[in-house]
Amino acid sequence: MLEISGLTTRYGAISALRRVSLTVGANEVVGLIGPNGAGKTTLLNTVAGLLRPAEGEVRLEERAVTGDSPDRMLRAGLALVPERRRLFAQMTVVENLRIGGVTASAEERSERLDEVVELFPVLKEKWGTAAGYLSGGEAQQLAIARALMSSPRIVLMDEPSLGLAPVLVDFVFDLIGRLRAEGRTMLIVEQNATRLLEVADRAYVLRTGEIAVDGMASDLLQREDLFDTFVGSARDEDSKPSEPDTR
Amino acid sequence: MIDLLQSLIDGLGRGSIYALLALGIAVIFGVMHMVNFAHGELITVTAYIAFGVVVTTGWGWWAAAPLIFLGAVGTSVVIEFVAFRWVRGASDFTMLLTSFAVHFLVQAIFVMTMGASVRSFPRPEWADRIWSVGELNIQIVDVAVIGTTALTLAATVFLLQRTMFGISLRAAAEDFDAARLMGVKSNKVIRQAFILAGALAGIAAIFYLMRTGQARPTTGLSPLLKGILAAIIGGLGNMQGAVYGGLLLGVSEVLLRSWLPEDLVGITDGAVFALIALFFIFRPQGLLYVRSAERV
Ligand SMILES: Nc1ncnc2c1ncn2[C@@H]1O[C@H](COP(=O)(O)OP(=O)(O)OP(=O)(O)O)[C@@H](O)[C@H]1O
Ligand SMILES: [Mg+2]
């Protein structure tokens, strides 16, 4: 489905990613973990077209899409739930969803609105509320729902549990589990390594811009050393310093 | 009381034009993060269109008005395509300089081709007619401009709230990259923003030119400055604020003019600027403030 090979992305002179290769198969859930500043967001943003790679190739369903703009990537079937969600705070919930389906026809859009609401009933109650007034959990649901509005073939998620209270973290991972059960293809970045490895099929560990380890999620879960050396965070779930929820 | 009402109507008549220009400036600021100093050129170009149509062809204002409108939309699209498209993504400063460059370039082209002198054209004969209601003397052209502006704003609100075009535009104004991630095409949404801004300026130009009846290379400068000022008063990038800013600016101008002693009327513009400076000391974020206008 998604093949990334030898991807290098630079911010000026600094290479935030160095020859990263990674694949995501159809119906597969792949995790990407690593300490702060490892380049996880850079990787997702490069694949989604927000950043232009200096070297390397991205293929989506056998098609070369390296360096394509975000709107072309979306039309090719790849949606990104960006870091910190980036909802349109002044727009209502339903407007956020409609913009998520901007590439679809009006009929498709309204059909998908119904589907998405079935998956996230809480959004229906907040239909006319500005996204900026949603709670953290609601906002994260909206961010995922908005990405699903384009009927993507693959969804990239950048730290979906960031800044959420523990009970909402559970909820988000439940949700990922449900999407997985639907057979969705996903590449998910999380600081919360244990939780991610529990829902992922395979995972990669990124460290200072390079893939350090990769393997089956169940195998990686057993690797105590990995959590000390590479991920940087202890295994307990609320180890990540909780960043204040800015929404 | 009657005086105040009179000033209010005169002020809204003026302010309507500022509001339409300010709204266009806010729309463009939203998607490009640039104060478009070339926006006044839409009025300059259409002033010569009005001159051409009214004087040389003699077709009159019914033909001139739609051509002014189309001329403004067309000029806006052309300016985006030949100038701003190439500096998009450059620093805000580069874009600002580009808009200055377009401003001076258009001016220079008219100086070279039409000369620096004023070209006058007849104003529509009904423009000066006065409609007396009790002690109020209402200029027909004020009624026309206030009414048309109200309709235009209602149509714009509908466009922005109800159509995918409007939702895309607002999304792009809030977070351009996030909108691209949703599938909004940058070229398209920016072109659409310039079309909308051009259409609003076209309507403003029709009434502005009906009032002034003049074309010269610097025709657009004064309305441009008022439009920018109104947009800033409204909180740059805030579309609703821009409209209020324009109306407020128009009314304060007329009020100041009526309060200032006869021999000081010349300083109205200066006084307006001073008042605005004062306003910003107390409300530096503008009338209405949107955080998202500051792209992160
Ligand atoms: N816009 C930028 N300009 C320059 N350097 C950047 C920029 N964004 C990120 N970096 C640098 O690139 C590296 C990778 O950053 P990135 O945000 O991709 O990491 P991350 O793994 O997502 O971290 P986090 O867990 O904090 O989200 C870091 O060293 C960061 O400082
Ligand atoms: Mg990150």
Side-chain angles (χ1 to χ4, degrees), chain A residues 33 197 202-205 213-224 226-227 235:
Chain A
I33 51 185
L197 291 174
R202 286 189 304 117
Y204 293 82
V205 179
V213 180
D214 73 278
M216 299 305 291
S218 49
D219 296 340
L220 294 181
L221 260 177
Q222 312 304 321
R223 298 257 315 253
E224 292 290 341
L226 221 151
F227 288 88
R235 297 190 69 160

Side-chain angles (χ1 to χ4, degrees), chain A residues 11 16 35-42 83 159 191:
Chain A
Y11 295 108
N36 287 96
K40 306 180 297 294
T41 298
T42 305
E83 189 169 42
E159 304 212 34
Q191 290 273 336

Side-chain angles (χ1 to χ4, degrees), chain A residues 28-32 173 176 180 186 188 193-204 215-218 221:
Chain A
E28 202 181 22
V29 176
V30 173
L32 181 63
F173 279 100
I176 292 171
R180 185 206 162 144
M186 295 184 279
I188 305 174
T194 322
R195 298 299 296 271
L196 180 59
L197 291 174
E198 282 164 6
V199 293
D201 298 304
R202 286 189 304 117
Y204 293 82
M216 299 305 291
S218 49
L221 260 177

